[in-house]
Amino acid sequence: MGTLRNFINLLEPMRFFKFAVVGGIGLLVNTAVLYLLTTYVFGEKLYMLSAVFSMEVSILNNFILNEYWTFRDRAGKAGFLTRMLKFHGSRLLGAATSLFVLYALTDFFGIYYLVSNLVAVAAGTAVNYLTSNFWVWE
């Protein structure tokens, strides 16, 4: 029981809640940009290109929100640019997972790309939190 409590304390539930709120905002940003780029700029055949751009916009959005809210108490441990670069680097696995899930659900299972995107974003959340908590804002 003590080990479970230590593990829960290590994950910092309130910080995870803030991280999840930021993630929710990022999901809205990602979905809006994905929709706008797919519908008005690239077209549905190039939805994956739209997904790459929408992911970058949401990554920048999430970094800023996490920097000034979720991990504000850790902001001084490394430089802003260093944290931003680490944040981007830490998102490579989450991004690869998200893009794979988006592609698989849309192209192999015929699920509408915006619905697939919701599942894809959810798939990367745990990895993104752990890398943020234990590496970016260590």
Side-chain angles (χ1 to χ4, degrees):
M1 187 66 166
T3 302
L4 178 60
R5 184 172 294 140
N6 289 342
F7 180 72
I8 290 171
N9 288 339
L10 184 65
L11 294 179
E12 302 179 84
M14 188 51 150
R15 192 180 305 273
F16 182 77
F17 174 76
K18 289 179 176 182
F19 186 83
V21 169
V22 169
I25 294 167
L27 176 61
L28 293 174
V29 169
N30 179 287
T31 303
V33 173
L34 176 64
Y35 173 77
L36 291 171
L37 288 176
T38 300
T39 303
Y40 298 108
V41 179
F42 297 119
E44 287 198 15
K45 288 186 179 184
L46 296 177
Y47 75 92
M48 290 295 288
L49 182 59
S50 298
V52 170
F53 282 103
S54 67
M55 193 174 295
E56 178 60 21
V57 171
S58 67
I59 287 172
L60 290 171
N61 171 78
N62 288 7
F63 172 76
I64 295 298
L65 292 175
N66 279 313
E67 174 76 5
Y68 292 106
W69 187 46
T70 310
F71 297 100
R72 179 180 56 196
D73 60 318
R74 297 186 190 173
K77 296 191 178 188
F80 180 86
L81 184 58
T82 299
R83 286 189 304 280
M84 185 185 294
L85 291 173
K86 286 171 81 174
F87 189 80
H88 269 79
S90 74
R91 294 309 178 259
L92 291 177
L93 181 58
T97 300
S98 293
L99 290 172
F100 173 77
V101 170
L102 174 65
Y103 177 75
L105 291 178
T106 302
D107 282 12
F108 291 115
F109 295 100
I111 297 172
Y112 185 59
Y113 75 95
L114 290 177
V115 175
S116 298
N117 188 59
L118 294 174
V119 176
V121 170
T125 298
V127 170
N128 288 341
Y129 177 69
L130 293 172
T131 57
S132 289
N133 196 29
F134 297 112
W135 186 54
V136 178
W137 286 280
E138 55 184 335

